[in-house]
Amino acid sequence: MSAPTHTRPHPATRAGAAGRLPWWALALPVLAFTALLTLILNPSEAHAAAGEPVISHLFERIQQLTAR
């Protein structure tokens, strides 16, 4: 009694144009990142900015925690 042999599955083909991301799938996160980075680097242009930038307090706190 012989065992049945299994045939190899066909190798996956490239998806082509259907497998690629549209241009805006990369452009929108890059645009959002640059907008947020601009607000962090120049908080005076942010409408909700208070007297001192919050990012400097965050860096000071991180420095204090890592110094311990």
Side-chain angles (χ1 to χ4, degrees):
M1 177 177 228
S2 61
T5 59
H6 297 287
T7 59
R8 291 179 137 188
H10 295 291
T13 59
R14 293 190 169 225
R20 287 184 276 181
L21 291 174
W23 64 269
W24 50 264
L26 181 63
L28 289 179
V30 168
L31 181 66
F33 177 77
T34 54
L36 290 173
L37 185 63
T38 303
L39 287 175
I40 288 174
L41 293 177
N42 193 3
S44 64
E45 292 189 17
H47 296 288
E52 292 187 30
V54 176
I55 195 74
S56 64
H57 291 294
L58 178 66
F59 284 137
E60 289 175 11
R61 184 70 177 152
I62 291 172
Q63 187 179 22
Q64 289 172 354
L65 290 173
T66 55
R68 290 184 183 180

